[in-house]
Amino acid sequence: MTIKEFVALEKAKLAEQAQSFPKKPHLVIIQANDSPASDAYVRGKIKDCGEVGAEATLCLLPPTVSEEELLNKVQEYNEDPNVDGLIVQLPLPPQISEKKVKLAVNPGKDVDGFHPLTTFVPCTPKGIVDYLTEEGFPFQGKNAVVLGRSEIVGKPMSRLLLSKNCNVTVLHSKTSEEDKAFYIAHADLIVVAIGRLGFLDNRFQYKPDAVIVDVGINRNEEGKLRGDAIPDLPVALQTPVPGGVGLLTRLALVKNLFIAAKK
Ligand code: NAD
């Protein structure tokens, strides 16, 4: 099943579930930047909520907002029983500590899964594992390579794959090219999240039955969105960019919101 088909099917299931809820699941998004990319992501999240029968509220703050004001807003929504999920859109302006904000969100409402005590799986890894599960990927004992070790993708992805009993290797900017080639050639699953246009290409060897999950979002010379892998690598399954992991991440957010609303 393509990612688009999978997402449409899962959203239809959520929309049906929403009908049995006593009230609509409610997501609050706090945005304190004027980045066009963030505007587009936020619009997407609001649209997704509408499609699955959830309510979304955007709390737009000026990029000049003080840390105290933003933390007060977070506290207000933390305590509001009418709010099920609360996320703070990144990036934050320089006067605000991302760490403090992540720690301020009520872990029970932290549907992004960023708080250390969160009960939610971060959206990108969750979306990826849900899709691979649907595709019948047999995680147990498989060699999984995660390229990138960020807090929002690489690290939680490697932990989640480990919990699925994969043999997980994390490669990063300090890994030698020789070692990257070695691990990639032996990988059954490669999740690439490094933000380097077309990094995975034909200079590497791949197992023919390998799966490549491309998390990267880059712009090519023509300004088009492209991934960290060149298209059509000689593997069994490769997720596209655009129309790939971004959609799975958005789906995982509404799934987390529904879990929060059920609690
Ligand atoms: P990041 O940008 O914070 O960090 C990059 C990571 O890649 C680092 O851990 C670094 O060690 C590693 N790295 C950099 N160059 C490397 C190289 N040459 N070889 C091996 N490792 C290298 O990471 P991020 O926030 O996870 O973002 C990675 C990419 O994923 C970006 O393109 C981002 O836009 C995209 N992203 C997409 C989604 C989605 O939903 N599709 C979600 C989050 C991030």
Side-chain angles (χ1 to χ4, degrees):
M1 194 185 304
T2 67
I3 288 181
K4 281 188 180 158
E5 288 164 349
F6 172 70
V7 170
L9 211 73
E10 293 288 292
K11 277 185 172 171
K13 282 189 213 161
L14 290 172
E16 203 179 305
Q17 242 188 67
Q19 308 216 342
S20 62
F21 282 29
K23 71 162 194 66
K24 284 183 171 190
H26 182 194
L27 175 71
V28 170
I29 306 168
I30 299 179
Q31 185 184 353
N33 67 46
D34 49 14
S35 139
S38 284
D39 290 347
Y41 291 138
V42 167
R43 270 199 307 277
K45 291 169 190 177
I46 294 173
K47 181 167 163 265
D48 292 337
C49 283
E51 283 173 9
V52 299
E55 187 186 340
T57 301
L58 173 60
C59 168
L60 200 53
L61 299 173
T64 51
V65 67
S66 70
E67 190 176 84
E68 194 187 351
E69 280 173 280
L70 193 142
L71 291 173
N72 285 342
K73 267 284 163 213
V74 169
Q75 203 46 38
E76 199 182 296
Y77 290 121
N78 275 346
E79 287 164 9
D80 185 342
N82 187 36
V83 173
D84 301 298
L86 173 59
I87 62 176
V88 183
Q89 183 65 37
L90 300 178
L92 289 166
Q95 72 276 16
I96 295 172
S97 152
E98 194 178 303
K99 195 173 170 197
K100 274 194 196 165
V101 171
K102 283 180 179 169
L103 289 174
V105 174
N106 176 344
K109 296 189 180 185
D110 171 40
V111 286
D112 260 338
F114 289 162
H115 193 287
L117 300 178
T118 191
T119 49
F120 299 95
V121 180
C123 298
T124 302
K126 176 185 168 80
I128 291 169
V129 165
D130 284 357
Y131 178 62
L132 292 176
T133 303
E134 192 284 329
E135 284 294 290
F137 183 79
F139 295 92
Q140 186 153 319
K142 293 293 172 193
N143 295 334
V145 161
V146 178
L147 277 139
R149 54 176 165 181
S150 70
E151 298 298 329
I152 62 164
V153 185
K155 282 184 190 152
M157 186 77 240
S158 56
R159 280 194 293 268
L160 190 56
L161 290 172
L162 200 54
S163 77
K164 305 286 288 178
N165 296 324
C166 284
N167 316 316
V168 183
T169 307
V170 181
L171 310 179
H172 47 77
S173 52
K174 301 289 184 267
T175 309
S176 72
E177 292 303 299
E178 195 187 349
D179 284 342
K180 278 179 210 162
F182 173 82
Y183 288 110
I184 288 169
H186 291 88
D188 302 300
L189 171 64
I190 303 166
V191 179
V192 60
I194 63 174
R196 300 275 181 276
L197 179 70
F199 177 83
L200 285 186
D201 61 11
N202 288 313
R203 75 185 187 288
F204 293 112
Q205 285 188 346
Y206 305 93
K207 286 175 86 168
D209 59 352
V211 171
I212 295 180
V213 175
D214 192 347
V215 183
I217 302 175
N218 312 286
R219 298 237 171 232
N220 69 6
E221 286 162 3
E222 293 154 18
K224 297 209 166 108
L225 284 187
R226 293 290 179 265
D228 285 348
I230 63 165
D232 302 322
L233 286 168
V235 292
L237 174 70
Q238 178 178 355
T239 66
V241 179
V245 172
L247 297 179
L248 297 175
T249 301
R250 283 168 53 178
L251 173 66
L253 179 69
V254 280
K255 282 190 178 172
N256 275 347
L257 176 67
F258 274 53
I259 296 171
K262 273 186 214 157
K263 278 184 186 158

